Amino acid sequence: MWFVEVLRHTPALAVFLTIGLGFWLGKVKVKGIALGTVTAVLIVGVLVGQLDIEVGGPLKTVSFLLFLFCIGYSVGPQFFKSLKGEGLKEVFFALVVCVLILGCSIGVSFLFGLNPGQAAGMMAGASTASPVVGAAEETINSIGGDGAKGMVDAIAVCYAMTYVFGTLGAVWLLGYIGPAMMGGLEKVKRMTHELEKTLSPSGTNNDPASFIACRPVAFRAFCADGEWMDSPHTVKELEERYEKEGRRIIVERIERAATGEIIEKITPETEIFRDDTVVVASRREMIVGDNSWFGREVAGVKILSFPVEDVDVTVSRKFKPITVHELMTRKIMDGVDIKRIVRNDVALNPLDGTEVLPGDIVELVGSKKRVEECAGEIGYADPRTLATDFVFIGLGILLGGLLGALAVKIGAVSISLGASGGALVVGLILGWLRSKRPVAGAIPKASLWVFNNLGLNMYIAVIGIASGPSFISAFTEVGPKIFIAGLIVTLVPLFISILIGHKLFKFHPAVTLGCCAGARKTTAGLGAVQERLGSTVPALGYTITYAVSNTVLIIFGIILVIVMSN
C-alpha cells in the first residue's frame, strides 16, 4: 500500500501522524471523561506500530531531554521556594506520598513477579507520572542484559494498561471518597468557603474574564484654563502646587494648544501654557477633588491614546516586606498600578492589606518610564517577550547531560543520574536562578507549553510505534495482573495520603485534597475536587507538592528499576 510504504520510508511522518491523531483522540470525551493526550498518543502509536515502521535515530532522546529540562525550568522556582518556610510541610507531605507510591509499587511488583520494565511501566501509569517511562528505559538500557529489549517494550504496554485507571481512580477517590473521609461533602464545602472568604474578601472578583472597574491608578486629561494658569508654570511648580493640598501627581504628557504638538519627554522645567492639555497620573484619590484652579477635565482622546507597560517584576531579597497600601503610598509608585501578585504560582488579589514579600512576582502597569523606575526599586523586571533563549536551553541540556554522565560506584553497581535526570536537575536550578534574577534565559509560557507537550508526546509516540509489533503478545501475557497491580498502586497510596494529610499534617480539608492531587501529579483529580467543592482553594496545596513529586517520582522510578533488577 502506497501510504504505508511512505510511512516506512519516512518514519518522521509516522511520528507526526501519531501525535496529530493522538491529540485529537485525547480530547474526545465520553460522559465527560477523556483519555488525555499522553495515553491517546501512546495508543495511536501502538496501532501505527503494527505497520512495522522502524523509528530510529536520536529523536526519542532529544524530545525527552527537552521535555525534562523544561519541566525542571517551570517548576524550579516553586521547588526551591518550598524548601523553606511554610512550604516545608507540603514538601514533607509530597515526599511521604512518593515513598508510599514507591513502596506499594515494589511490594506489588514482587507479589505479581513483575520484571523491571513491567514494574516501571505499571508505576508510571498508576501514578500518572509519565516522565518515569523515559527514566526507567534509560536505566534498563544502562544496566543491559539479554532481556533488556523486552523489558523496555514492556514499559509502554504496562503504562498504557494502567494510566487510564490511574487517572479515573484518582478522580473518583479525590472527588468523591476524599470529602466523605473528612466529614462529608457539605462540611468540607462549608469549611472551604470560609477559608476562601479570608483569602479573597467579598468585594473581590475572581472571574478571570473580568476585572475590577475601580483601578487604583488613573490617567486624566485637564485643559489648563483655570485662574492659576493666567501665567505659564513649570511642571515642577504644578506638582508642588498639588503637594500643598496633600495630593501627589505626575505630569505624563502635554499637548500644546497653539500647535497641537504632544510632548512626551517631560522634565521638571517643561513649561505649561494656558489652554494646553495636560495628562496627570496618580492614585485615583489624589486626582479626585477640586481642580478648577488648574483647569477643567476633558476627554483627551488623542493625548490619552498612548500605550502603557505591563511588566512582571520579581521582588528582590533585599526588599523589606510591606503591604500593598504602604507600597502604593511611596513616590516610586506614582503613575504605576499593581495588577496582581503571584506567590508560589498562586495569584493573589492586590488588596491594601496584602503583603509584598521577597520572591513574589508583582505585575506592574504604567508608562514605560515609571514602570522601569519602580521595577528598579523593588526587584528585577522580566519584560514580556515572544523570543525564546535557545542558547540557554541548548547549553542547559548539555550541562545536564554532562552532569548525568557522572557516576558513583557503590560496590559493583554504578549509579548515575543519567542524561534525563541531569537535564531535570539543571532545569530546576536554572529555572530557580532565573526567578531570582530574570536577566537571561527567557522561555515564554507558550513556548514552555509547546516544548513540554511536544517533547513528551513525541517521545511517547516513538515508544508506541517501536513497541507496536510486540504489544499484543505482551498484553496477552501480563494483562490481568498488570491491571490489578496498577489498581492497587493507584488507590492504596492515595487513600492513605488523604488520611495522613488530614489527621497527621492537619491540612485544611480542601488543601489536603489539593496536596494529594499535586503529589499524585493528577491535574484531572484537582479539577474534580475544585468542581465538587465549587472553589479554587484546593489549588493552594497543588503547586508545591506537584513540583516536588514531579522530580522525586522520576528518581524513584530509577530506584524501582534497580531494586527489581537485583
Side-chain angles (χ1 to χ4, degrees):
M1 185 178 176
W2 172 79
F3 181 67
V4 174
E5 289 302 320
V6 170
L7 294 181
R8 287 172 178 166
H9 185 264
T10 314
L13 295 180
V15 174
F16 284 108
L17 171 66
T18 300
I19 290 173
L21 291 179
F23 268 75
W24 171 77
L25 179 62
K27 293 179 180 178
V28 175
K29 291 186 176 182
V30 178
K31 294 185 178 180
I33 299 173
L35 276 175
T37 53
V38 177
T39 306
V41 166
L42 180 59
I43 292 172
V44 173
V46 168
L47 295 175
V48 172
Q50 303 305 313
L51 302 176
D52 196 22
I53 298 170
E54 291 187 12
V55 184
L59 175 63
K60 182 170 66 172
T61 304
V62 169
S63 57
F64 191 61
L65 290 179
L66 179 63
F67 162 71
L68 284 177
F69 176 82
C70 290
I71 278 290
Y73 177 92
S74 60
V75 305
Q78 288 77 41
F79 180 82
F80 284 102
K81 281 179 189 175
S82 68
L83 298 181
K84 58 183 180 180
E86 296 179 0
L88 273 177
K89 195 175 178 182
E90 293 178 15
V91 170
F92 289 136
F93 178 78
L95 289 173
V96 168
V97 176
C98 291
V99 169
L100 286 172
I101 292 171
L102 175 62
C104 191
S105 298
I106 292 174
V108 166
S109 297
F110 278 117
L111 178 65
F112 288 95
L114 306 182
N115 65 41
Q118 294 168 344
M122 180 273 298
M123 173 180 160
S127 60
T128 58
S130 303
V132 170
V133 173
E137 180 188 355
E138 187 176 348
T139 306
I140 290 172
N141 286 329
S142 67
I143 294 174
D146 295 335
K149 175 67 169 61
M151 291 182 192
V152 168
D153 289 344
I155 295 175
V157 177
C158 299
Y159 172 81
M161 292 177 60
T162 54
Y163 187 93
V164 175
F165 186 79
T167 300
L168 297 181
V171 167
W172 172 71
L173 198 55
L174 290 173
Y176 293 85
I177 305 302
M181 293 168 62
M182 293 182 285
L185 179 61
E186 292 306 316
K187 179 183 177 181
V188 174
K189 265 187 175 182
R190 186 176 66 255
M191 294 176 68
T192 301
H193 292 315
E194 288 172 359
L195 176 59
E196 196 170 39
K197 288 177 183 178
T198 66
L199 297 171
S200 180
S202 57
T204 301
N205 181 16
N206 291 315
D207 184 358
S210 60
F211 58 89
I212 302 300
C214 181
R215 306 309 302 162
V217 172
F219 297 84
R220 309 278 277 271
F222 291 89
C223 177
D225 58 1
E227 59 181 26
W228 189 73
M229 289 303 302
D230 287 342
S231 60
H233 290 278
T234 65
V235 167
K236 182 180 179 181
E237 290 172 338
L238 176 62
E239 292 177 354
E240 287 176 345
R241 176 71 171 76
Y242 269 98
E243 280 194 28
K244 288 180 180 178
E245 297 186 359
R247 298 191 281 170
R248 196 170 64 226
I249 59 96
I250 286 177
V251 175
E252 287 284 356
R253 309 177 101 203
I254 299 173
E255 182 181 3
R256 295 298 186 202
T259 62
E261 176 191 5
I262 294 179
I263 301 173
E264 296 182 354
K265 293 183 179 179
I266 305 295
T267 68
E269 290 72 35
T270 301
E271 285 194 300
I272 304 171
F273 299 97
R274 188 172 184 82
D275 293 331
D276 284 350
T277 302
V278 180
V279 172
V280 170
S282 185
R283 287 187 62 82
R284 185 174 298 275
E285 64 268 22
M286 295 289 184
I287 299 177
V288 173
D290 181 14
N291 300 295
S292 59
W293 53 269
F294 173 51
R296 58 192 167 85
E297 186 171 5
V298 294
V301 175
K302 179 182 176 182
I303 195 171
L304 284 172
S305 298
F306 64 95
V308 293
E309 289 258 297
D310 189 332
V311 176
D312 288 335
V313 178
T314 301
V315 181
S316 71
R317 287 179 292 175
K318 298 177 182 178
F319 187 81
K320 183 180 177 181
I322 57 174
T323 64
V324 167
H325 176 74
E326 291 169 331
L327 178 60
M328 291 302 293
T329 57
R330 293 187 177 182
K331 189 169 179 60
I332 58 166
M333 295 299 295
D334 288 346
V336 179
D337 188 9
I338 297 177
K339 192 172 181 180
R340 66 171 183 165
I341 299 171
V342 178
R343 182 177 303 150
N344 291 332
D345 214 29
V346 176
L348 306 176
N349 295 304
L351 305 171
D352 281 351
T354 303
E355 275 199 305
V356 180
L357 306 176
D360 286 352
I361 297 174
V362 180
E363 187 176 349
L364 301 179
V365 179
S367 65
K368 184 175 182 180
K369 179 183 176 183
R370 307 297 178 196
V371 167
E372 286 178 351
E373 290 174 352
C374 180
E377 287 286 332
I378 67 174
Y380 307 99
D382 186 12
R384 308 237 168 128
T385 177
L386 298 177
T388 298
D389 192 340
F390 281 101
V391 174
F392 183 82
I393 293 176
L395 295 181
I397 294 175
L398 172 64
L399 286 174
L402 296 176
L403 175 65
L406 301 175
V408 177
K409 275 209 166 188
I410 302 177
V413 181
S414 181
I415 298 176
S416 69
L417 285 172
S420 56
L424 177 67
V425 170
V426 171
L428 284 167
I429 294 171
L430 293 182
W432 171 68
L433 289 175
R434 173 166 168 76
S435 73
K436 293 294 183 182
R437 298 199 65 170
V439 294
I443 308 179
K445 288 185 178 180
S447 297
L448 270 178
W449 187 92
V450 171
F451 295 150
N452 285 340
N453 283 273
L454 186 61
L456 176 61
N457 285 288
M458 188 171 286
Y459 171 78
I460 293 295
V462 174
I463 283 183
I465 294 171
S467 64
S470 60
F471 187 93
I472 295 176
S473 59
F475 181 85
T476 54
E477 178 188 346
V478 299
K481 68 178 181 181
I482 287 295
F483 181 80
I484 295 171
L487 185 147
I488 295 171
V489 173
T490 292
L491 297 180
V492 173
L494 197 50
F495 184 86
I496 297 173
S497 299
I498 295 172
L499 290 176
I500 291 174
H502 184 53
K503 299 291 186 182
L504 185 61
F505 283 82
K506 305 292 184 182
F507 291 133
H508 184 282
V511 176
T512 296
L513 296 173
C515 285
C516 289
R520 255 296 317 276
K521 293 178 78 281
T522 170
T523 307
L526 176 66
V529 170
Q530 292 186 151
E531 184 178 348
R532 290 276 287 165
L533 300 184
S535 170
T536 59
V537 166
L540 294 174
Y542 183 83
T543 307
I544 291 176
T545 52
Y546 176 88
V548 173
S549 181
N550 212 14
T551 305
V552 173
L553 281 179
I554 294 173
I555 299 170
F556 279 9
I558 296 171
I559 293 174
L560 176 64
V561 170
I562 294 172
V563 169
M564 298 306 299
S565 298
N566 294 325

